[in-house]
Amino acid sequence: MNFAEMGRVILRPLHPEQPFRYDLLLPALREPSRVAMQFLTLVEERFAEMKRRIEDASVRE
């Protein structure tokens, strides 16, 4: 179990917003590996979950 699952981490929106971007380099001349694609899927799911939690928290305030 981690701190977030134990409810010991609080996600709050930043005001003003502080946009940031993550980039992942993929091979230009071949398809990414299955592991790389699974990692990308996991990262996208986690970010979507975090975004939902932040939006839900801002609605409750």
Side-chain angles (χ1 to χ4, degrees), residues 24-53:
L24 181 66
L25 298 176
L26 298 171
L29 302 176
R30 63 180 168 85
E31 292 293 316
S33 69
R34 281 184 277 160
V35 172
M37 295 308 295
Q38 289 172 342
F39 176 74
L40 283 173
T41 300
L42 177 65
V43 168
E44 289 172 350
E45 289 170 355
R46 296 295 171 131
F47 275 123
E49 178 184 333
M50 232 187 315
K51 183 178 178 184
R52 278 192 301 273
R53 290 177 64 192

Side-chain angles (χ1 to χ4, degrees), residues 13 52-61:
R52 278 192 301 273
R53 290 177 64 192
I54 291 169
E55 290 170 347
D56 290 348
S58 66
V59 169
R60 283 186 248 136
E61 291 180 357

Side-chain angles (χ1 to χ4, degrees), residues 6-26:
M6 294 177 358
R8 300 193 66 189
V9 175
I10 298 172
L11 296 174
R12 294 185 181 150
L14 295 175
H15 296 287
E17 287 186 16
Q18 302 294 313
F20 56 90
R21 184 174 124 183
Y22 289 94
D23 294 318
L24 181 66
L25 298 176
L26 298 171

